[in-house]
């Protein structure tokens, strides 16, 4: 059964004072649950729903809408590669093809919000920008 740490419960109580409605805490609470446990379990969704007084299905809907939330435990290294136009124009298809030859899990995701530094990938909440195959090799060598 999931329970937030005392520190996270304290943070949620502080945030409740800053938001006009407790329901607005959905995203921050999802982030806290994911950082606390490494993923968002159904028990965590139920706990969030009770804390902010909205149905668990609404929390689940939000958690499944965004690619950055994980509903299952994740591998050590998951590489998110942006698939939107800016990254494609700057070579993300070549980076993606190159990554497919490596021993990593790849997710082709929507915009990572770093169009000015495309192509970009994200690994464990860290952005790697202006990618080349040489940069990808150096990054993976450091992380693996």
């Amino acid at each position: 059964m999931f329970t937030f740490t005392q520190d996270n419960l304290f943070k949620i109580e502080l945030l409740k004072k800053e938001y006009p409605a407790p329901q607005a805490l959905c995203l921050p609470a999802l982030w806290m649950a994911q950082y606390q446990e490494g993923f968002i379990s159904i028990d965590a969704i139920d706990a969030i729903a009770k804390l902010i007084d909205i149905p668990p299905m609404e929390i689940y809907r939000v958690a499944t809408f965004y690619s950055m939330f994980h509903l299952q435990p994740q591998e050590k290294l998951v590489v998110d590669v942006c698939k939107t136009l800016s990254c494609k124009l700057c070579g993300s298809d070549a980076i993606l093809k190159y990554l497919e030859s490596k021993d990593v899990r790849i997710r082709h995701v929507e915009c990572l919000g770093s169009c000015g530094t495309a192509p970009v990938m994200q690994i464990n909440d860290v952005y790697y920008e202006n990618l080349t195959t040489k940069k990808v090799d150096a990054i993976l060598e450091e992380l693996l």
Side-chain angles (χ1 to χ4, degrees), residues 8 12 14 35 37 40-41 46-47 51 62 80 89 100 107 109 113-114 118 125-126 129:
N8 280 338
I12 289 169
L14 287 178
Y35 281 125
E37 298 294 314
I40 299 166
S41 66
D46 289 341
L51 276 173
V62 172
D80 291 340
L89 291 173
E100 288 170 350
R107 294 187 318 164
V109 300
S114 191
D125 297 330
V126 177
E129 302 162 318

Side-chain angles (χ1 to χ4, degrees), residues 38-97:
F39 71 105
I40 299 166
S41 66
I42 296 300
D43 286 343
I45 288 171
D46 289 341
I48 293 167
K50 286 178 186 166
L51 276 173
I52 63 176
D53 195 32
I54 61 174
M57 194 58 192
E58 288 300 308
I59 305 295
Y60 182 82
R61 185 181 59 79
V62 172
T64 57
F65 177 79
Y66 293 103
S67 64
M68 70 268 206
F69 293 125
H70 311 293
L71 300 182
Q72 300 292 326
Q74 297 294 295
E75 295 90 352
K76 179 181 176 189
L77 193 64
V78 178
V79 180
D80 291 340
V81 179
C82 183
K83 67 179 181 178
T84 52
L85 184 59
S86 294
C87 281
K88 280 192 173 291
L89 291 173
C90 292
S92 67
D93 285 342
I95 297 298
L96 182 64
K97 186 174 179 128

